[in-house]
Amino acid sequence: MSTPTPTTERETLSSRPGGRHDLPLTHPTLPRFAPALVGVMAVAAALLVGLLLGWGLALMTLLAVLVYAVALPLWARIVEGTRAAKDRLVTTLVWSAFVLAMLPLVTLMFEVISKGAKMLTAQFFTYSMRNVIGEGGGIYHAIMGTLLITLFAALISVPVGIMAAVYLVEYGQGKRMARVITFLVDVMTGIPSIVAGLFAYALFVIFFGPGVRMGFGGSIALSVLMIPIVVRSAEEMLKLVPDELREASYALGVPKWRTVVKVVLPTSLAGIVTGVMLAVARVAGETAPLLIIAGDTDSVNFNVFSERMATLPVFIYYSFTQPGVPPEFGEDRAWGAALVLIVIVMSLNLVARAVSKLFSPKTGR
Amino acid sequence: MTVTEAAPKPPAPVRRTGDVVFSGLARAAGITILVALAGVAVFLTIEGFPAVTAPASAMGGKSGIVLYVWPLLFGTLLAALLAMIIATPLAIGVALVISHFAPRKLSRTLGYLIDLLAAVPSVVYGLWGINFLAPRMVGLYEWLEENLGFLPFFTGPASSTGRTILTASLVLAVMALPIITAITREIFAQTPVLHQEAALALGATRWEMIRMTVFPYGRSGMVSATMLGLGRALGETMAVAMVLSATGVISFNLISSTNPSTIAANIALQFGEASGLKVNVLIFSGLVLFVVTFIVNFLGRAIAGRGYKGESR
Amino acid sequence: MAKSIDVSDLDIYYGDFLAVEGVSMTIRARSVTALIGPSGCGKSTFLRSLNRMHEVIPGARVDGKIVIDGQNMYDADVDPVQVRRSVGMVFQRPNPFPTMSIYENVLAGNRLNSKRMPKSEADSIVEKSLKGANLWEEVKNRLNKPGSSLSGGQQQRLCIARAIAVEPQVLLMDEPCSALDPISTSAIEDLIHDLKSDYTIVIVTHNMQQAARVSEDTGFFNLAGAGKPGRLVEMNPTSKIFSNPDEPSTEAYISGRFG
């Protein structure tokens, strides 16, 4: 592969005999501050045009990015050559993609916080919506519902998920059934949440008759979504446990099951806890299956085995789509509940990562 | 030393009770997963089957289950495909930033940010879509109608609320992006350092190195990641149910106020008030959605599995 | 409590692949037997078959007899877990359990088998084993630190302490010094010397000086040919092997002409 070199003659390190081309070891490059300079100029140009034509912020930003994406590669092309120009263009494009992808997160957080923060009063957390019309009320019933339904989902999913991972890693190596399970777990990760809800409904209808609504049904539906996540993460973690540790334990005359329980699982505990927390965070925000099988109610219901049960996501949905008259109180409650839900889900995420970082054992080296 | 267990007579290898019980439990857990997945298919079929002979009154006036499901399936596919067209290039760009462009220290944080994007509950995306995104799209839709109205996608009349299928697809794209990014960035990061250094040693720029080594290595991964993102977009419910103002038409017009609905959104919107055969009809449409996402995910995983085998050694 | 081991006509397989063929040897009690030979000749595989660790690998199996204390350890009614309790093993790379402290690591074999014991007894086992492994003086003030906080050589001695805490009859060592520096190596060799009054020790080593220094008997393993299984070429007192071996290939290996 030949390097297209600028035509200007430059000093070379050595000129070999035999008529080979001399490759210059330096070639012209843009100054280090070039991207910054082009950036400033692009912003200035966009501001000028935008102010003249009375554009909004979004259009001006778009123009600034466009100017930058054209000007910098163009300059690079003149000074550095086509290949470097392409490189700079791609760099600009991928970073723009990243910023663009961040826009929803930033605007969403801003919206939710600015609209929801004012709702976070003691009353909001301690009152249900029972007999509330218009202003007031709270999300106590929905928080409790989310906690209970998610708790029961975890009670089902965690043992099944971890034991299935133990089977896959410790007992199933090379077996046909283990390969099938691994593959189906992967496929199961993609089940739409609403289908999980319909499954729970179709299952419960057989026992309880049409129109059944029950918090536990929500737990079943969430388990369908949660189990594959737990299995996958636990499986990864168990695989990370070095075989040397298993062998050290076997060599001490420890039976296999005790080796798994006392050596393998404790070694991977932090990773498994992280995986479980991420799975909980994922399902705690699920709406569709709960809409189907758990329904919604204005009152507190602590019994997951009977009657409708409110949850935060469903509460948000109904408060926003059927806010009542006048609508602003319902909508406000929706934003407040959305803020609470986001805080719960995101802190679960962050704590989960902290757990894996702080508590994972250092395996020797 | 502990007491030796009484040796069993048959020449089968010695198995301890603890081992038998524990491995049995583990296997049972594995089988539970198979049963659960089979259960999803079986129960949806049982409860969805009566819909095949349901009368038109249970299907909003449609005279057959196919006529009922087809427009919904059309909307589902259209919204998901649009979302993928928007999300895939962005997701690959983001993955490249994290795996190759950002400084090492920064890239971990950037990865977290993208993961947070995945952590936002779908109902909150719905709120954001209806409240923030939709109103801001109105201007763009009017511009599209005026200037690109000759294309069938933008014939208009432009929606005055912005709650169109294109807006719904944008929200879906935002939701699918972290999934595609998560998988592609992992594969990009796994590209053998040896290959990358070989490319750089030949004098390649960073972009040339990526084209010579990272993309070929990650090709099947990118395809399967897109499939999995597609699976997510197909099944996503709440964001669409909230954002889209659906009338159930079949139309390629992306910016008008009459839009096709999607299977998942339709179920979410109708299920609360449904009773009798209507429930079976909705469950049947859920079964169709299940089959479609199952196939998409199946293909995605199959491609991923093949790719790893073919390229890792 | 040390026991001798009689191996007769042992074939070792990985699935259908015959890795080691037709080994017969007697390992004397209360002495050190070294196994030497080029890489891939099956000496580690053979060592792992001496406490049924070989079959931990899926598909791996063994034909033949290994008799210890009058009992063939490959009889159908023998529990491999019991075999491993009486035949301890030390691995090539030190592998203390990362979730356990030094104290708990020493007791791992006892505790993992859920043997309940009073604190005083546990303390005395820990002290005795760590003293036995020449590690007590170095760690007695930090027994609650994680085992992975020790240096490589200390970790390996911790693993030896862990192995002798369950009071096995035989101690197998699979290249115990290959991951260690010369000073740690010499500490381990001294330890082997001390341990042989109580234990039957079998050690696999690549280092011929080490074999000469620590062992009474030496077995030389070699491949019968490229792609053929490994076999025991010669088994003799170490002094004879290193001065006047019976087989020309042994002499060729020891004098460094191959391997």
Side-chain angles (χ1 to χ4, degrees):
Chain A
M1 174 170 173
S2 75
T3 318
T5 54
T7 46
T8 46
E9 286 293 349
R10 293 239 152 202
E11 72 278 88
T12 55
L13 202 68
S14 69
S15 47
R16 289 193 211 115
R20 288 210 188 177
H21 291 294
D22 295 330
L23 277 179
L25 287 181
T26 61
H27 72 94
T29 45
L30 294 186
R32 286 181 60 113
F33 57 82
L37 182 67
V38 176
V40 169
M41 279 165 45
V43 169
L47 266 179
L48 193 69
V49 176
L51 289 179
L52 279 177
L53 299 179
W55 282 2
L57 185 65
L59 274 182
M60 285 198 272
T61 316
L62 190 68
L63 182 65
V65 172
L66 278 181
V67 170
Y68 182 85
V70 172
L72 186 65
L74 210 62
W75 188 11
R77 199 196 143 91
I78 294 164
V79 182
E80 296 175 330
T82 327
R83 299 172 58 217
K86 228 181 235 171
D87 194 50
R88 290 202 187 259
L89 178 65
V90 171
T91 308
T92 312
L93 286 181
V94 296
W95 277 105
S96 318
F98 186 83
V99 173
L100 198 58
M102 278 294 100
L103 273 184
L105 186 66
V106 174
T107 55
L108 181 143
M109 292 307 286
F110 179 79
E111 284 274 301
V112 172
I113 292 171
S114 65
K115 291 215 164 82
K118 66 168 188 277
M119 296 300 297
L120 304 186
T121 59
Q123 187 204 356
F124 194 61
F125 289 103
T126 49
Y127 276 59
S128 75
M129 287 301 294
R130 196 180 168 85
N131 296 332
V132 174
I133 296 167
E135 199 174 1
I139 55 169
Y140 176 69
H141 61 310
I143 293 181
M144 284 301 134
T146 288
L147 284 182
L148 285 171
I149 289 180
T150 315
L151 175 73
F152 275 83
L155 286 181
I156 300 168
S157 316
V158 172
V160 172
I162 292 180
M163 286 309 280
V166 165
Y167 172 74
L168 293 178
V169 177
E170 306 290 335
Y171 294 97
Q173 292 292 331
K175 285 188 192 157
R176 192 186 161 82
M177 187 167 101
R179 281 206 304 276
V180 172
I181 292 178
T182 309
F183 188 77
L184 287 182
V185 162
D186 280 345
V187 173
M188 204 170 159
T189 334
I191 289 189
S193 57
I194 191 135
V195 169
L198 287 178
F199 158 67
Y201 179 83
L203 176 68
F204 276 52
V205 141
I206 291 171
F207 301 107
F208 301 98
V212 60
R213 296 286 188 278
M214 194 190 282
F216 189 66
S219 303
I220 295 280
L222 295 186
S223 301
V224 172
L225 304 172
M226 198 173 160
I227 287 175
I229 311 180
V230 175
V231 174
R232 280 317 304 271
S233 63
E235 194 189 349
E236 294 300 314
M237 291 305 134
L238 293 179
K239 277 186 190 158
L240 286 181
V241 175
D243 269 342
E244 297 161 19
L245 293 183
R246 294 186 182 90
E247 297 201 334
S249 179
Y250 296 150
L252 289 170
V254 179
K256 182 161 184 169
W257 75 276
R258 273 187 180 281
T259 303
V260 174
V261 173
K262 298 224 169 163
V263 176
V264 178
L265 286 175
T267 308
S268 51
L269 186 67
I272 293 177
V273 170
T274 301
V276 168
M277 290 180 73
L278 288 178
V280 168
R282 163 92 162 74
V283 301
E286 275 301 343
T287 320
L290 301 176
L291 198 63
I292 301 264
I293 181 72
D296 191 26
T297 171
D298 288 340
S299 315
V300 180
N301 175 6
F302 284 119
N303 188 353
V304 289
F305 295 102
S306 95
E307 286 308 312
R308 294 165 183 267
M309 208 163 178
T311 50
L312 275 174
V314 176
F315 176 86
I316 296 170
Y317 174 68
Y318 277 123
S319 301
F320 196 81
T321 53
Q322 299 165 18
V325 188
E328 52 273 20
F329 300 122
E331 286 177 7
D332 280 347
R333 283 192 291 267
W335 286 107
L339 179 56
V340 173
L341 184 60
I342 282 202
V343 168
I344 293 176
V345 168
M346 293 215 167
S347 37
L348 271 173
N349 262 283
L350 292 176
V351 172
R353 289 179 207 287
V355 165
S356 86
K357 213 170 179 183
L358 293 178
F359 296 102
S360 48
K362 320 282 171 279
T363 32
R365 282 136 282 281
Chain B
M1 300 248 147
T2 52
V3 200
T4 322
E5 268 141 60
K9 276 286 153 231
V14 176
R15 299 210 61 190
R16 304 187 145 235
T17 331
D19 271 332
V20 175
V21 171
F22 191 74
S23 68
L25 279 177
R27 182 172 304 121
I31 292 171
T32 307
I33 291 176
L34 297 184
V35 170
L37 197 60
V40 171
V42 169
F43 285 107
L44 289 185
T45 311
I46 293 175
E47 286 298 308
F49 190 71
V52 176
T53 54
S57 60
M59 294 184 283
K62 300 282 168 54
S63 58
I65 191 69
V66 178
L67 288 179
Y68 179 80
V69 173
W70 164 241
L72 296 171
L73 186 59
F74 170 84
T76 308
L77 296 176
L78 179 65
L81 286 179
L82 275 176
M84 295 326 291
I85 292 171
I86 301 162
T88 308
L90 279 180
I92 288 174
V94 171
L96 279 180
V97 166
I98 294 172
S99 69
H100 284 87
F101 281 84
R104 189 93 328 167
K105 270 188 184 164
L106 195 61
S107 76
R108 175 172 288 229
T109 317
L110 298 185
Y112 277 167
L113 284 177
I114 295 293
D115 289 344
L116 282 185
L117 201 59
V120 175
S122 60
V123 67
V124 181
Y125 273 121
L127 284 185
W128 173 78
I130 203 171
N131 214 66
F132 179 88
L133 188 61
R136 281 168 180 74
M137 298 303 289
V138 175
L140 176 66
Y141 292 157
E142 283 164 357
W143 185 87
L144 283 173
E145 185 196 356
E146 249 169 64
N147 298 286
L148 293 172
F150 53 89
L151 291 174
F153 310 114
F154 305 125
T155 44
S159 159
S160 60
T161 55
R163 294 169 59 182
T164 69
I165 193 139
L166 187 54
T167 310
S169 301
L170 277 174
V171 179
L172 288 182
V174 173
M175 300 176 75
L177 181 133
I179 296 183
I180 309 177
T181 300
I183 299 170
T184 44
R185 84 181 192 224
E186 210 151 277
I187 295 191
F188 289 167
Q190 281 168 8
T191 312
V193 178
L194 227 57
H195 296 182
Q196 301 184 41
E197 287 177 347
L200 290 176
L202 286 174
T205 62
R206 183 158 53 179
W207 168 237
E208 287 162 345
M209 179 268 280
I210 287 168
R211 273 191 32 201
M212 284 167 69
T213 63
V214 177
F215 280 169
Y217 179 83
R219 186 170 297 135
S220 65
M222 288 191 280
V223 173
S224 84
T226 312
M227 297 293 262
L228 298 177
L230 180 64
R232 174 81 196 266
L234 285 170
E236 176 48 43
T237 314
M238 297 321 293
V240 181
M242 291 169 80
V243 170
L244 188 61
S245 124
T247 50
V249 295
I250 296 187
S251 157
F252 281 104
N253 190 345
L254 306 181
I255 58 170
S256 80
S257 51
T258 53
N259 293 289
S261 186
T262 72
I263 294 179
N266 182 59
I267 297 173
L269 292 172
Q270 307 286 330
F271 202 89
E273 279 79 48
S275 62
L277 273 173
K278 274 188 183 165
V279 173
N280 301 105
V281 169
L282 291 176
I283 291 181
F284 183 88
S285 70
L287 181 63
V288 173
L289 177 64
F290 175 62
V291 171
V292 171
T293 50
F294 191 93
I295 292 171
V296 167
N297 282 300
F298 189 93
L299 290 178
R301 293 296 176 185
I303 292 169
R306 205 183 56 202
Y308 289 144
K309 246 182 264 149
E311 275 158 12
S312 63
R313 48 210 65 194
Chain C
M1 58 180 178
K3 292 282 179 355
S4 65
I5 305 173
D6 283 302
V7 182
S8 44
D9 289 329
L10 196 72
D11 296 336
I12 311 178
Y13 296 86
Y14 289 100
D16 295 333
F17 172 69
L18 178 60
V20 179
E21 185 179 27
V23 175
S24 298
M25 67 161 70
T26 299
I27 294 163
R28 288 191 287 149
R30 284 176 221 281
S31 76
V32 178
T33 302
L35 305 178
I36 60 172
S39 299
C41 67
K43 52 194 189 308
S44 288
T45 303
F46 172 72
L47 188 79
R48 289 166 63 92
S49 70
L50 290 178
N51 68 342
R52 297 191 62 167
M53 280 298 286
H54 176 63
E55 64 206 63
V56 166
I57 300 158
R61 64 193 171 83
V62 167
D63 278 349
K65 280 168 97 176
I66 299 180
V67 177
I68 178 168
D69 202 13
Q71 169 80 35
N72 177 10
M73 66 167 74
Y74 281 95
D75 276 351
D77 57 356
V78 169
D79 182 351
V81 170
Q82 285 303 326
V83 171
R84 292 174 201 146
R85 302 223 51 195
S86 49
V87 184
M89 186 163 194
V90 175
F91 294 82
Q92 186 170 355
R93 287 206 300 193
N95 52 2
F97 297 119
T99 49
M100 300 180 189
S101 67
I102 294 171
Y103 185 93
E104 288 167 332
N105 256 294
V106 176
L107 285 176
N110 313 57
R111 283 273 165 78
L112 289 176
N113 285 297
S114 77
K115 202 201 257 179
R116 298 208 174 277
M117 62 178 83
K119 175 92 169 85
S120 58
E121 191 191 338
D123 286 346
S124 77
I125 290 180
V126 170
E127 182 171 347
K128 192 169 132 225
S129 309
L130 284 173
K131 277 183 173 154
N134 284 342
L135 190 60
W136 175 250
E137 291 303 322
E138 291 158 65
V139 300
K140 64 182 174 189
N141 295 323
R142 46 170 171 156
L143 290 174
N144 289 319
K145 291 273 161 49
S148 48
S149 65
L150 300 174
S151 74
Q154 289 172 325
Q155 284 188 16
Q156 193 61 301
R157 277 179 282 152
L158 176 61
C159 291
I160 294 174
R162 183 175 69 189
I164 62 182
V166 290
E167 307 194 329
Q169 305 176 11
V170 180
L171 205 52
L172 308 177
M173 296 185 169
D174 188 357
E175 299 184 37
C177 302
S178 67
L180 304 181
D181 62 277
I183 293 175
S184 304
T185 299
S186 138
I188 303 271
E189 285 181 9
D190 290 346
L191 175 58
I192 292 172
H193 202 76
D194 297 342
L195 288 173
K196 79 176 171 200
S197 53
D198 291 322
Y199 298 90
T200 303
I201 295 176
V202 185
I203 176 170
V204 166
T205 177
H206 263 127
N207 178 332
M208 274 174 284
Q209 287 77 25
Q210 185 172 58
R213 280 194 300 267
V214 301
S215 71
E216 274 78 41
D217 297 300
T218 298
F220 170 58
F221 279 75
N222 199 1
L223 293 172
K228 298 232 181 83
R231 61 195 171 86
L232 178 65
V233 175
E234 178 173 357
M235 172 93 181
N236 263 320
T238 302
S239 51
K240 179 168 164 50
I241 286 254
F242 280 92
S243 57
N244 181 24
D246 292 337
E247 298 288 329
S249 66
T250 312
E251 184 168 13
Y253 180 72
I254 286 168
S255 58
R257 255 177 277 155
F258 76 95

